[in-house]
Amino acid sequence: MNNLKLSSEVWSRLELQADKGEEVLRLFAVDIERSRLFFASSAGFLYAAQLSSPQIEGARDKGLLPATAQLIDLEDGDSITCLEYIMEKEALIIGTSNGLLLLYSVDDNATEIVGRVEGGVRFIAPSPDGDLLALITGFGQILVMNLDWDLLYEMPLDDLPEDVDVHASISWRGDGKFFASLSMVNDSFPLHKRLKVWERDSGALHSVSESKPFMGSVLDWTQSGAKIALVYDRKEEKQCPSVALFEKNGLERSSFSINDAIDVTLEFLKFNCNSDLLAAVVRGETFDTLKIWYFSNNHWYLKQEIRYLKDDGIKFTWDLTNPLKLMCWTLDGRVVSYKFVWVTAVTDNSIAFVIDASKVLVTPFSLSLMPPPMYFLKLEFQSAVRDMAFSSKISQNHLAASLSDGSLCIVELPPLDQWDDLEGQTFKIEASYSGTEYGSLLHLSWLDSHVILGVSHFDEDVRTGYYLHEIEISCSEDRSPGSVTCAGWHAETSHQISLEGVVIGIAPNQLISRSAFVQFDGGKMFEYTSKLGGLQRCDDMAFLSSCPWMDAALVGEKPLLFGLDDNGRLHFERRVLCNNCSTFSFYSNSGEGMMTHLVITTKQDYLFIVDAGDIVHGQLEQKYGNFLPVVVRKKTGESENVFVHLWEKGAQIIGVLHGDESAVILQTPRGNLECVYPRKLVLASIFNALAQGRFRDALLMVRRHRIDFNVIIDHRGWEAFVESAADFVRQVNNLSYITEFICAIKHEDIMETLYKNYVSLPCINGDKSSKTIIDGDKKVYSVLLSIRKALEEQIEETPARELCILTTLAKSSPPVLEDALKRIKVIREVELSTATDPRRKSYPSSEESLKHLLWLSDTEAVFEAALGLYDLSIAAIVALNSQRDPKEFLPLLQELERMPPLLMQYNIDLKLERYESALRHIASAGDSYYEDFTNLMKKVPELYPLGLQLVGGDSCKRQQVLEAWGDHLDATKCFEDAATTFLCCFCLDKALKAYRSCGNWMGVLTVAGFMKLGKDDVLQLARELSEELQALGKPGDASKILLEYCGDVDGGVSLLVDARNWEEALRVGFLHRRDDLILVVKNASLECASLLVGEYNEGMEKVGKYLTRYLAVRQRRLLLAAKIKSDELSLGYPDDETASQASSNFSGMSAYTTGTRRGSSASTTLSTSTRGRGRQRNRGKIRAGSADEEAALVDHLKGMSLSEGGKIELKSLLISLLMLGEEDTARKLQRTAEKFQLHQIAAVKLAEDAGSTDNIDEQALTLDHYTQSVRKQVLNSDAFSWQSKVLL
């Protein structure tokens, strides 16, 4: 589904030594290694030209091809008949008519006679490996010799030696193991020949074909070795020649007609180096043509035809390395270099125009997806089509075609919705009338529906070179709707500009009317505007190299130019987007034609879908990882939303279906077409339809592509959908579709789960609610409620509507089964009614409704819902239709039927675990069931608040309920609540016990006061409470009890010292004037200060060790990461855990534990305080060499900071030391603690800075440097509020 487009043609001229007409070029050879061309002329001159000169890069016509000429000294009457370049000898081998074999060294300009052949040399064919030479002599012998000029073997070419074909030739197979020739045969058909295949090693005949009327000695073996191409002469059949393809065994595989005149001859048949293009020179009566065929889907397409004058005697050769490059030369020394490119035959609106000689096969993919040579309609022109351009507007479709005879043809096609009657038809297209000669028009491009831009080349005496034409199009015939307008067109050149270089491509500028971008060789970009009539340079849109594939797309209010060069680099605004691109195309889901996605395939056979916004904002590397799948998986963990793996190697994009179709059309090397629907494009189309309020279109796309139905709800949030539910039901208007949609509703927000990686799509940006956490039950309930209301309002009453409403009730969360059963109950009552009720036709049968409900719901849940209605008849019907065993439900229903109504309802509620309802029913049953009332509350303690409400003003029952509730709270260890509950019912003993169980000593002593306990009992109780609090680690509270209730000053001060409450201990000592207690406090505070100084010093040492280790690990990890990154393109990215473990394994083991001392909660010891007020809790051990070693080291550094409780205790100790006159000790303690805290803060900041950079600067990242910096920043902050100013 591609067309072969002529990208550039460069003309140059070889200056011949003799006068014009006296010397012509005959033979050609090429030195591929040094890019040199060699020509041999009829005058015996040998010309050598260098291809590396900028002759192909924008040289003007009539430019001379730089060449050297050397006359080959031959005998009179002798002439050059063969010319080949032997790379192994770095010389030319020349054969002459007298039989000389000459070896000519171009560099030394020396000629050596290496042999003489009797009968003269007619043909020379070096083997592909260059080791052998095959010659055909004038006597019809085949000679095979090596490069030492030793004859290996010889054999006759023809069956009869007297029948010698003077134009015989030889073709080698690509691997050099066989070669083929055409031989005359002795039979009744004098013009018949046979194809012979010879073995290289022995010269033995491998196979012989049947006798056929082959034309001349034209044959060529493909480089792949699969086929041998020959030409049939079919004049006796009054038909034109045809090309036949043979296998190595001499059997014909296939053939095709060249579709030309009967009397033409075909010469110089040659495959390109990829064996996919076959070129030949066809000589006719008035002109010669160069034809190029391409094989696909078992059909040979004529993709290019270039005409030459008969006197030019055109010959050609394919480039030996570039399969799309061909060089022609004429007898008078003109040399033309053609460069072709494959371009998609599919236009922007998905219509395929496949060129096949003078026919264009047209297929609209939106109507029919069929590969050529099949077609929807066919356009026939008067000669072969060389180039074409298509323009599609809202109501007009125009095709412009440039023909090989120099004509320009215009075709107007009707809109796609009027093509149904055109299927299978053939339309003959007339050439447009023009008073101007255009020459060979290339790079056709529509600027609007009446203006074409194209490039032509002239090689005449009057004018030469390249010209840019702006051509005005008009039609003189009346156009009828729905028909093809193929005649009456006029074309006139309105502007013509002479060009200084070779044009590579033209792309119309969709933003500005009658404007286009023109690319010259080297990627230089110019803008052509009709109003200005000239070219304006656009350096900001230029490419870094020539891009034969170029296209422009409109994004917002800016045109974007994309170009693909021969090396697979996709260019955009002087940068390369992708280095391994094979094809690209644009996709638009907007009706305005603006590009929303770029679709590309890579050489690794991956299809990437790129958001236009990511290109504009430069996020390609971040999201698409240079279009390497291994990089994408590493960076995102997901791939489906970024690329698709193509199922067949070499598949290429030939077109896309825009809008809701959201399809990418691919063609495989076999020729078949495949239409794929990338999930990203499908979702983009769905979201675009939803944004436009097209719910029916969105639902159809969801069903067609098996997308989760919840995207319709979640793309903007379920709250927004609830508001639009009425529009949704009205547009869809299909109860089956709505029922399917209802059954698919989920609790989750799939835009945060299943389609999380698609939330960046532009159609939902900024539309969705800011809520990130949703209530799934609320979502389902609200959505179904809104749909149910819409169904009742929008859809007329029908049985199908009623079933759909029942579906909304059954699928609600939680299911509203009781409401559904009530509706079924109404239907049953209507059925049982003897009167004629018009509603009967609007409802399904009750049996059908019930079965529908049972199919959607759990049968047990429906049965329980029926019981919940307290309607035993409905429950019995549900049980029967749910295929329950009557032995299971009949006894239950009979037993319930015999009970009083309240008791029946109570038992049903108990069965359904509706305990609140059961409690209300049993409370209403009377005092005789009071025991059941209390037992139910004991079974379900959550009912106690309701029970208190139900007992009302009955004080006795209220006391019983409260005491039972308190017992329950006490049993569940809710002692505070239990004590409060016991106080409400005046159970003081139980309240005191509950307070004591929870350690609330104030509550215990308060309740003891209410109980009027004696002084001794209170004293005994206080001492017991003090001992319990000490055991619980609360010495402060215990000291308060001893001081206030027991009068034990010594014990109270001792406990205050244990609690590190230094100021309070001094206050109590001075209160009671006890010098001995003050001395105790002083000694304890000095000991604690000494202990803290030691621990802070030890903490600073640990900070240094942890920081040193962290920097070492970080340094080694960065070195390993740099090494891995250097190999990422070839080896791929390792995952993070592997890289982290590999990095850590470089580091040695180190000890993280040092000796610790037991101290106060203000210390930096690794032991944790039960009160949680010392240094922060340690975060676990550090494993040397582990993947998370860096993070663990940073966590340990952060965990060594002083806690808030520790700061309070430290400040209290400093004040106490100052009160006791120990100023030096206090100053030493404060400075040590300050130094430790500064070291810890500086170490954390240093580690964070080192972790955020990829370059470790050992000079800047030092602890001393950071400590000085931190001191200036935080010394006066709240973190150091514990300091005493007098000690600074």
Side-chain angles (χ1 to χ4, degrees):
M1 195 64 76
N2 291 326
N3 290 325
L4 190 65
K5 177 181 178 180
L6 180 57
S7 175
S8 64
E9 58 175 319
V10 179
W11 290 68
S12 57
R13 184 179 298 276
L14 191 68
E15 186 176 6
L16 303 183
Q17 297 296 310
D19 295 336
K20 185 176 182 180
E22 297 181 1
E23 182 184 9
V24 295
L25 298 181
R26 289 183 174 176
L27 302 171
F28 168 88
V30 60
D31 175 9
I32 185 175
E33 187 177 31
R34 299 171 63 177
S35 300
R36 293 185 295 183
L37 300 177
F38 302 99
F39 295 93
S41 71
S42 59
F45 283 96
L46 193 64
Y47 298 92
Q50 191 70 36
L51 274 181
S52 59
S53 64
Q55 162 263 346
I56 300 182
E57 300 178 3
R60 289 185 58 83
D61 288 291
K62 297 291 185 181
L64 294 178
L65 182 65
T68 59
Q70 178 64 35
L71 179 63
I72 303 300
D73 189 14
L74 298 176
E75 299 175 355
D76 292 339
D78 197 3
S79 63
I80 301 175
T81 56
C82 305
L83 180 68
E84 293 290 342
Y85 184 81
I86 301 178
M87 189 178 299
E88 287 70 14
K89 295 287 188 178
E90 296 185 355
L92 289 167
I93 182 71
I94 300 173
T96 69
S97 58
N98 288 346
L100 292 180
L101 282 178
L102 306 177
L103 189 67
Y104 174 74
S105 176
V106 181
D107 296 334
D108 300 336
N109 194 19
T111 304
E112 177 186 359
I113 299 177
V114 296
R116 181 183 289 271
V117 178
E118 293 183 0
V121 180
R122 301 303 180 191
F123 191 82
I124 297 178
S127 63
D129 56 9
D131 292 340
L132 300 181
L133 287 179
L135 286 74
I136 297 179
T137 70
F139 292 154
Q141 291 292 112
I142 298 178
L143 308 181
V144 178
M145 61 181 63
N146 58 25
L147 295 187
D148 293 330
W149 318 115
D150 298 326
L151 181 63
L152 302 180
Y153 50 83
E154 66 175 305
M155 54 277 194
L157 173 66
D158 302 320
D159 294 342
L160 297 176
E162 60 273 13
D163 295 329
V164 178
D165 186 358
V166 296
H167 300 291
S169 62
I170 290 175
S171 179
W172 288 86
R173 199 171 77 167
D175 58 3
K177 293 184 178 180
F178 299 92
F179 61 90
S181 66
L182 279 176
S183 302
M184 303 290 291
V185 296
N186 182 23
D187 55 16
S188 58
F189 302 98
L191 298 180
H192 283 205
K193 300 179 184 179
R194 286 179 178 172
L195 170 67
K196 292 185 178 181
V197 178
W198 310 87
E199 295 182 0
R200 167 199 174 112
D201 296 334
S202 61
L205 185 62
H206 180 77
S207 62
V208 181
S209 72
E210 294 181 355
S211 175
K212 298 285 185 179
F214 293 118
M215 178 178 288
S217 58
V218 179
L219 80 159
D220 189 58
W221 206 327
T222 63
Q223 294 295 317
S224 61
K227 295 169 286 187
I228 306 173
L230 302 101
V231 181
Y232 282 150
D233 189 345
R234 305 174 65 186
K235 292 180 181 178
E236 295 181 358
E237 305 174 23
K238 299 186 181 303
Q239 295 184 12
C240 67
S242 61
V243 177
L245 300 168
F246 282 75
E247 298 179 351
K248 181 186 68 174
N249 55 14
L251 299 178
E252 182 180 345
R253 173 182 290 187
S254 62
S255 64
F256 66 94
S257 174
I258 66 171
N259 295 323
D260 213 320
I262 299 176
D263 57 348
V264 299
T265 59
L266 194 148
E267 298 180 8
F268 304 107
L269 194 66
K270 188 69 176 175
F271 284 98
N272 68 344
C273 61
N274 279 1
S275 303
D276 59 349
L277 293 178
L278 176 64
V281 173
V282 179
R283 304 202 185 277
E285 291 184 0
T286 57
F287 56 84
D288 295 346
T289 57
L290 173 66
K291 295 178 182 284
I292 302 177
W293 290 275
Y294 173 73
F295 182 77
S296 179
N297 268 9
N298 203 33
H299 179 77
W300 285 91
Y301 300 85
L302 179 61
K303 287 297 185 181
Q304 276 288 339
E305 179 180 292
I306 305 174
R307 294 188 178 183
Y308 286 86
L309 297 176
K310 186 71 176 177
D311 296 337
D312 289 338
I314 180 69
K315 297 181 181 179
F316 76 92
T317 182
W318 286 102
D319 190 284
L320 298 181
T321 57
N322 189 338
L324 295 176
K325 192 174 180 180
L326 180 143
M327 184 169 293
C328 298
W329 70 92
T330 61
L331 296 177
D332 60 356
R334 286 175 295 163
V335 180
V336 191
S337 176
Y338 294 109
K339 187 176 182 181
F340 301 95
V341 293
W342 285 111
V343 296
T344 177
V346 183
T347 61
D348 291 339
N349 60 347
S350 305
I351 303 178
F353 294 90
V354 179
I355 296 175
D356 184 14
S358 61
K359 302 181 291 294
V360 174
L361 312 180
V362 184
T363 302
F365 287 151
S366 58
L367 301 179
S368 177
L369 189 65
M370 63 177 72
M374 295 183 289
Y375 56 87
F376 188 85
L377 62 91
K378 183 169 63 175
L379 306 177
E380 282 194 3
F381 298 85
Q382 63 188 24
S383 62
V385 179
R386 294 194 61 189
D387 196 6
M388 65 180 182
F390 182 75
S391 173
S392 175
K393 301 299 180 183
I394 297 177
S395 60
Q396 294 179 328
N397 296 315
H398 290 94
L399 176 71
S402 172
L403 308 185
S404 60
D405 62 359
S407 302
L408 178 65
C409 295
I410 307 297
V411 185
E412 183 176 353
L413 300 169
L416 277 176
D417 55 2
Q418 301 177 15
W419 280 42
D420 293 338
D421 297 335
L422 304 180
E423 185 173 3
Q425 296 190 34
T426 299
F427 299 92
K428 294 187 179 297
I429 313 301
E430 297 181 7
S432 61
Y433 172 78
S434 175
T436 307
E437 289 290 339
Y438 297 115
S440 176
L441 271 177
L442 302 176
H443 303 297
L444 294 177
S445 180
W446 287 91
L447 299 187
D448 62 19
S449 59
H450 297 89
V451 179
I452 299 175
L453 198 65
V455 177
S456 67
H457 172 267
F458 295 97
D459 185 27
E460 303 171 352
D461 295 334
V462 179
R463 53 179 174 171
T464 60
Y466 302 97
Y467 290 86
L468 183 67
H469 297 271
E470 180 182 329
I471 305 172
E472 295 278 353
I473 303 297
S474 61
C475 185
S476 60
E477 289 193 0
D478 295 332
R479 311 173 198 175
S480 58
S483 64
V484 178
T485 306
C486 48
W489 292 96
H490 297 262
E492 294 294 336
T493 300
S494 57
H495 289 91
Q496 179 175 296
I497 303 174
S498 177
L499 302 176
E500 296 294 330
V502 177
V503 174
I504 303 299
I506 297 177
N509 185 354
Q510 302 177 25
L511 189 63
I512 303 176
S513 176
R514 295 195 176 190
S515 175
F517 297 103
V518 181
Q519 181 196 172
F520 287 84
D521 194 61
K524 296 184 292 292
M525 196 66 61
F526 291 81
E527 183 178 4
Y528 173 82
T529 305
S530 179
K531 296 179 180 179
L532 301 178
L535 296 173
Q536 302 293 326
R537 187 154 187 161
C538 304
D539 290 334
D540 57 333
M541 305 184 75
F543 301 140
L544 300 179
S545 61
S546 297
C547 296
W549 300 272
M550 181 182 75
D551 204 352
L554 193 61
V555 178
E557 296 297 327
K558 180 182 180 182
L560 303 182
L561 268 180
F562 296 85
L564 180 64
D565 63 18
D566 294 325
N567 296 321
R569 296 186 302 171
L570 184 62
H571 296 256
F572 168 71
E573 291 185 351
R574 302 197 65 83
R575 56 192 174 98
V576 176
L577 297 184
C578 177
N579 287 310
N580 58 343
C581 178
S582 56
T583 54
F584 74 95
S585 185
F586 304 135
Y587 168 78
S588 172
N589 60 22
S590 66
E592 300 174 356
M594 289 191 296
M595 181 189 78
T596 57
H597 296 82
L598 172 67
V599 185
I600 69 173
T601 56
T602 66
K603 294 180 179 178
Q604 291 79 22
D605 298 311
Y606 288 95
L607 176 72
F608 281 83
I609 311 297
V610 184
D611 293 321
D614 294 335
I615 300 174
V616 175
H617 300 117
Q619 297 179 339
L620 293 183
E621 178 63 26
Q622 175 185 353
K623 292 187 177 181
Y624 304 93
N626 201 22
F627 300 96
L628 296 174
V630 65
V631 181
V632 174
R633 291 193 185 100
K634 176 186 182 294
K635 291 190 173 184
T636 65
E638 299 289 338
S639 61
E640 186 180 2
N641 67 316
V642 179
F643 67 86
V644 178
H645 186 263
L646 299 181
W647 66 98
E648 186 165 342
K649 184 177 181 181
Q652 294 185 338
I653 302 171
I654 62 168
V656 297
L657 299 180
H658 300 278
D660 292 349
E661 292 296 332
S662 59
V664 178
I665 304 171
L666 302 169
Q667 186 170 33
T668 65
R670 294 180 286 115
N672 59 310
L673 299 179
E674 299 288 347
C675 193
V676 298
Y677 300 86
R679 181 64 53 87
K680 191 170 184 178
L681 294 186
V682 171
L683 286 172
S685 300
I686 293 172
F687 293 147
N688 185 58
L690 291 172
Q692 297 173 0
R694 297 186 289 115
F695 290 105
R696 179 177 177 83
D697 295 337
L699 183 65
L700 293 178
M701 285 187 281
V702 165
R703 296 183 74 254
R704 185 188 314 130
H705 299 290
R706 298 184 180 181
I707 303 297
D708 196 309
F709 283 90
N710 287 267
V711 299
I712 299 176
I713 301 172
D714 296 331
H715 85 288
R716 293 179 59 190
W718 62 267
E719 296 92 343
F721 178 81
V722 167
E723 298 176 359
S724 307
D727 291 336
F728 172 79
V729 173
R730 178 178 52 79
Q731 290 185 28
V732 175
N733 197 25
N734 186 310
L735 292 173
S736 297
Y737 290 175
I738 295 176
T739 302
E740 185 180 7
F741 172 77
I742 292 169
C743 293
I745 297 177
K746 298 178 181 178
H747 292 75
E748 62 178 317
D749 182 354
I750 64 165
M751 298 309 300
E752 298 294 335
T753 54
L754 182 61
Y755 300 129
K756 181 179 181 180
N757 293 318
Y758 299 94
V759 295
S760 62
L761 292 171
C763 51
I764 63 174
N765 283 346
D767 292 341
K768 194 167 182 180
S769 172
S770 59
K771 293 182 179 180
T772 57
I773 300 176
I774 65 169
D775 185 349
D777 289 340
K778 185 177 181 182
K779 167 193 169 182
V780 176
Y781 177 81
S782 301
V783 169
L784 292 181
L785 177 61
S786 63
I787 293 178
R788 185 160 59 251
K789 290 181 178 179
L791 287 171
E792 294 172 348
E793 296 172 359
Q794 302 278 347
I795 307 297
E796 63 179 356
E797 289 187 353
T798 61
R801 191 199 78 161
E802 185 64 25
L803 293 178
C804 191
I805 292 175
L806 289 176
T807 304
T808 65
L809 294 169
K811 289 297 182 179
S812 185
S813 182
V816 193
L817 298 177
E818 292 186 2
D819 290 352
L821 289 171
K822 288 178 182 177
R823 299 182 73 96
I824 295 175
K825 185 177 180 180
V826 172
I827 296 173
R828 179 172 174 78
E829 291 173 353
V830 171
E831 289 178 344
L832 297 177
S833 176
T834 56
T836 302
D837 194 330
R839 293 183 298 173
R840 286 188 177 183
K841 296 182 179 180
S842 302
Y843 291 141
S845 66
S846 59
E847 182 181 1
E848 181 184 0
S849 301
L850 185 57
K851 287 183 177 180
H852 182 76
L853 182 64
L854 290 171
W855 177 69
L856 292 172
S857 309
D858 179 31
T859 57
E860 184 66 27
V862 177
F863 178 71
E864 291 179 354
L867 284 177
L869 294 175
Y870 310 119
D871 188 331
L872 299 181
S873 61
I874 290 292
I877 295 174
V878 170
L880 289 172
N881 282 277
S882 59
Q883 298 181 350
R884 295 171 66 94
D885 189 352
K887 295 180 181 179
E888 296 179 0
F889 67 87
L890 279 180
L892 172 63
L893 297 179
Q894 291 171 355
E895 181 182 358
L896 291 173
E897 191 176 15
R898 291 191 293 268
M899 296 180 183
L902 287 175
L903 195 58
M904 178 195 71
Q905 294 170 359
Y906 166 72
N907 282 278
I908 289 176
D909 290 336
L910 284 182
K911 177 176 177 57
L912 301 181
E913 298 182 353
R914 300 191 301 194
Y915 295 115
E916 289 188 7
S917 178
L919 189 67
R920 294 179 188 276
H921 286 134
I922 200 64
S924 302
D927 293 340
S928 57
Y929 294 100
Y930 179 71
E931 185 179 354
D932 294 329
F933 176 78
T934 56
N935 289 336
L936 181 58
M937 287 188 294
K938 291 178 181 179
K939 179 182 178 182
V940 186
E942 293 81 4
L943 297 176
Y944 279 114
L946 178 60
L948 286 176
Q949 298 176 16
L950 294 176
V951 296
D954 191 334
S955 59
C956 181
K957 291 182 180 179
R958 181 177 178 83
Q959 294 288 341
Q960 293 175 1
V961 172
L962 285 171
E963 186 175 359
W965 193 1
D967 291 337
H968 166 71
L969 293 172
D970 188 73
T972 56
K973 301 187 184 302
C974 300
F975 299 115
E976 290 278 358
D977 294 332
T980 306
T981 306
F982 285 135
L983 288 175
C984 291
C985 61
F986 301 103
C987 296
L988 299 180
D989 290 337
K990 291 184 177 181
L992 187 144
K993 182 181 178 183
Y995 274 131
R996 192 165 184 177
S997 297
C998 66
N1000 188 343
W1001 60 272
M1002 289 183 288
V1004 172
L1005 293 173
T1006 302
V1007 173
F1010 278 113
M1011 295 174 65
K1012 307 296 184 182
L1013 294 180
K1015 183 177 182 179
D1016 292 339
D1017 294 336
V1018 172
L1019 180 62
Q1020 179 64 27
L1021 180 61
R1023 288 194 176 278
E1024 291 175 0
L1025 288 174
S1026 176
E1027 292 175 0
E1028 291 174 3
L1029 290 173
Q1030 292 182 55
L1032 292 174
K1034 298 180 179 179
D1037 293 339
S1039 66
K1040 188 176 293 188
I1041 294 176
L1042 288 180
L1043 292 171
E1044 294 180 2
Y1045 286 87
C1046 301
D1048 187 355
V1049 179
D1050 292 343
V1053 171
S1054 178
L1055 289 176
L1056 288 173
V1057 170
D1058 290 342
R1060 300 297 185 261
N1061 196 343
W1062 306 103
E1063 295 175 87
E1064 181 65 15
L1066 284 177
R1067 186 192 68 81
V1068 174
F1070 285 114
L1071 174 66
H1072 295 280
R1073 299 182 183 280
R1074 294 283 302 276
D1075 294 339
D1076 56 332
L1077 293 179
I1078 294 173
L1079 181 60
V1080 170
V1081 175
K1082 180 177 181 180
N1083 292 335
S1085 62
L1086 290 173
E1087 181 183 357
C1088 182
S1090 177
L1091 184 63
L1092 286 177
V1093 169
E1095 291 182 349
Y1096 287 145
N1097 287 327
E1098 182 181 343
M1100 286 187 285
E1101 182 180 351
K1102 290 180 182 179
V1103 168
K1105 287 183 178 180
Y1106 288 145
L1107 184 60
T1108 302
R1109 173 60 180 170
Y1110 173 81
L1111 293 176
V1113 172
R1114 180 68 182 167
Q1115 181 86 12
R1116 291 180 175 88
R1117 191 174 302 243
L1118 290 175
L1119 291 175
L1120 179 61
K1123 184 178 183 301
I1124 292 174
K1125 187 174 183 180
S1126 65
D1127 301 332
E1128 65 186 10
L1129 294 178
S1130 58
L1131 300 178
Y1133 286 86
D1135 55 20
D1136 293 337
E1137 183 179 356
T1138 303
S1140 179
Q1141 290 178 351
S1143 174
S1144 297
N1145 288 335
F1146 275 95
S1147 59
M1149 301 293 288
S1150 64
Y1152 291 102
T1153 57
T1154 57
T1156 58
R1157 305 176 187 175
R1158 183 168 181 161
S1160 72
S1161 60
S1163 70
T1164 58
T1165 179
L1166 293 178
S1167 62
T1168 57
S1169 170
T1170 57
R1171 295 163 298 183
R1173 297 187 305 179
R1175 198 184 68 82
Q1176 293 183 9
R1177 182 176 295 274
N1178 209 1
R1179 303 194 180 186
K1181 294 182 180 180
I1182 305 175
R1183 292 185 302 152
S1186 64
D1188 57 351
E1189 184 180 4
E1190 286 184 39
L1193 287 167
V1194 175
D1195 287 345
H1196 272 70
L1197 287 173
K1198 292 179 179 179
M1200 294 179 70
S1201 63
L1202 290 178
S1203 65
E1204 292 301 320
K1207 294 175 184 178
I1208 294 173
E1209 294 177 3
L1210 182 58
K1211 184 174 183 178
S1212 176
L1213 179 58
L1214 291 172
I1215 294 174
S1216 299
L1217 289 173
L1218 290 174
M1219 290 180 178
L1220 294 170
E1222 298 296 334
E1223 181 179 347
D1224 293 340
T1225 303
R1227 180 174 286 104
K1228 180 179 180 182
L1229 175 60
Q1230 178 169 308
R1231 290 180 177 177
T1232 305
E1234 174 190 314
K1235 187 176 181 181
F1236 163 74
Q1237 192 173 2
L1238 287 173
H1239 273 66
Q1240 187 270 337
I1241 296 174
V1244 171
K1245 181 172 177 56
L1246 191 154
E1248 291 176 347
D1249 290 349
S1252 62
T1253 181
D1254 293 337
N1255 184 20
I1256 302 298
D1257 187 354
E1258 297 180 358
Q1259 301 294 330
L1261 297 177
T1262 62
L1263 184 58
D1264 292 341
H1265 173 73
Y1266 270 78
T1267 301
Q1268 295 175 6
S1269 176
V1270 166
R1271 179 186 296 274
K1272 299 176 183 178
Q1273 298 174 7
V1274 302
L1275 197 56
N1276 296 322
S1277 64
D1278 293 339
F1280 289 84
S1281 61
W1282 54 269
Q1283 288 183 322
S1284 178
K1285 301 293 185 182
V1286 72
L1287 297 176
L1288 294 177

